[in-house]
Amino acid sequence: MPAPPDLPGEVLASWEAIRSMKIRGAGRIAREAAAALAGAADAFSGRDAREFLDYMERVAAFMREARPTAVSLPNAISFVMRRLRDARPADVDAGRAIVKAAAREFIEYSSRAVDAIGELGARRLRNGDVVMTHCHSSAAAAVLSEARRAGKINRVYVKETRPRLQGLTAARILGEAGLDVVLIPDSAVRYFMKDVDRVIVGADAVAANGAVVNKIGTSVVALAAKEARVNFYVAAETYKFSPKTIVGELVPIEFRDPAEVAGKGWVADHPGIEVMNPAFDVTPAEYIDAIITERGVMSPYAAPLILLEEYGVRVWGAGVDEGKLHPEEMGRASDT
Ligand code: RI2
């Protein structure tokens, strides 16, 4: 999607940082998008409220396209935009204040949610558990760090997570949290699974059927865990649940630049070879023992309950509104 002509530079910079994965992680990109909307509201120089609304809609549509898979991104944008649309502000200053307050609210909620997941998830771990994780997820890392603080766990196997090696980020952060980190190649997942008590990963999207979309390779870890009868947990804030999956939409899987897999030069030198680079895969609910959310630990089969609590009858009616995301708004969905 082309950038709207009146797009402020900082919005373009946020979009590019998300797209290029300079800013990454489903929670972080959601917070960045909310902050970008607030920045865009600040940068608007017009005086007409209608023009402000149209402009914010264009910014929102543009930001939604930065990356396709993590549902937290459109959910964060809808949270802010719904507040603006519902308020129908009479002037630009009022509209700007609404956008900035909603963005701040989302960002604060998101940060608190990660902390809550850390606490709730750590309770699920037992003393002496050896854990494996994949990629870098701040939600999963919060669980592991909190469990370490509680003196419950020590050793954690971290998969390198090709092609972008985000496992190295996880290894560094978990090492700083005091864990005894073992970095392993992705191909060693089954080799080490026999030493593991639990797997914890993050999520980019949770579907209505309890399936979890996460970094490519997650489903292989789940397979190996199931074979070895190792518990498989997902740490995910409720704004990573995808309302559109209730009405049968699929979560799109992002395919990234082949150069991430084989290097620019190699790809150029082998024009006859197709290189494919899917960034995410789908782990079905039957491989997942529990999803740790900020509202509690639940079975993946309870995903429709979270979605209904959030979106109420809207999902069955005129269409899905992804904006109803905050606990304060729960319950009101069925009145409208
Ligand atoms: P948090 C990441 O996607 C990983 O797949 C990670 O598991 C997930 O987002 C959740 O991350 P990417 O942005 O929100 O690295 O838990 O492609 O940090």
Side-chain angles (χ1 to χ4, degrees), residues 110-270:
S110 169
S111 305
R112 281 200 309 273
V114 174
D115 292 344
I117 286 172
E119 277 176 37
L120 292 168
R123 284 189 216 153
R124 280 287 163 128
L125 296 177
R126 299 211 189 103
N127 285 340
D129 272 350
V130 174
V131 180
M132 184 182 281
T133 192
H134 179 64
C135 197
H136 167 250
S137 147
S138 7
V143 173
L144 295 171
S145 303
E146 189 53 39
R148 172 72 193 123
R149 256 193 298 281
K152 281 186 159 181
I153 62 164
N154 188 24
R155 196 170 177 80
V156 56
Y157 287 94
V158 178
K159 296 176 68 249
E160 60 177 351
T161 318
R162 274 192 48 80
R164 292 185 63 103
L165 299 175
Q166 290 126 318
L168 272 56
T169 303
R172 178 179 50 77
I173 288 170
L174 296 174
E176 285 166 6
L179 284 144
D180 174 8
V181 175
V182 185
L183 183 69
I184 60 170
D186 289 322
S187 43
V189 56
R190 192 160 174 265
Y191 182 88
F192 286 110
M193 193 57 83
K194 60 183 182 310
D195 303 333
V196 169
D197 300 296
R198 283 163 222 282
V199 172
I200 300 182
V201 297
D204 292 81
V206 181
N209 63 2
V212 166
V213 182
N214 193 48
K215 183 57 55 183
I216 191 78
T218 301
S219 65
V220 182
V221 188
L223 261 175
K226 196 170 182 75
E227 180 195 40
R229 296 169 191 242
V230 167
N231 283 146
F232 187 94
Y233 295 151
V234 174
E237 305 89 301
T238 50
Y239 53 80
K240 292 174 182 168
F241 286 60
S242 167
K244 288 185 173 173
T245 57
I246 285 205
V247 289
E249 278 200 29
L250 300 175
V251 176
I253 300 292
E254 175 182 12
F255 276 71
R256 297 189 61 85
D257 187 346
E260 289 183 351
V261 176
K264 245 193 183 87
W266 195 94
V267 171
D269 288 348
H270 300 82

Side-chain angles (χ1 to χ4, degrees), residues 275-332:
V275 181
M276 298 185 81
N277 185 16
F280 302 99
D281 66 15
V282 181
T283 301
E286 65 197 272
Y287 293 89
I288 299 164
D289 291 286
I291 301 181
I292 304 157
T293 78
E294 74 277 17
R295 301 213 204 136
V297 181
M298 50 176 261
S299 157
Y301 297 106
L305 298 180
I306 290 279
L307 285 163
L308 281 173
E309 205 173 54
E310 294 287 347
Y311 302 97
V313 294
R314 283 171 188 276
V315 293
W316 308 114
V320 175
D321 186 331
E322 292 165 322
K324 194 160 283 296
L325 282 165
H326 197 274
E328 275 173 18
E329 292 189 311
M330 277 162 45
R332 276 199 268 137

Side-chain angles (χ1 to χ4, degrees), residues 39-114:
D42 252 343
F44 185 76
S45 56
R47 300 301 318 156
D48 185 89
R50 186 68 251 169
E51 274 173 25
F52 177 71
L53 291 179
D54 291 347
Y55 157 85
M56 287 307 302
E57 292 291 355
R58 289 196 301 279
V59 172
F62 178 69
M63 285 305 297
R64 271 176 204 275
E65 302 294 320
R67 284 188 78 188
T69 300
V71 173
S72 49
L73 176 72
N75 279 349
I77 291 168
S78 295
F79 178 84
V80 175
M81 292 305 292
R82 196 178 140 74
R83 287 284 172 86
L84 179 63
R85 288 181 207 127
D86 285 357
R88 298 172 194 276
D91 58 66
V92 173
D93 285 344
R96 187 179 285 130
I98 289 161
V99 170
K100 289 170 76 173
R104 198 166 45 241
E105 193 180 325
F106 179 85
I107 292 165
E108 285 170 7
Y109 181 82
S110 169
S111 305
R112 281 200 309 273
V114 174

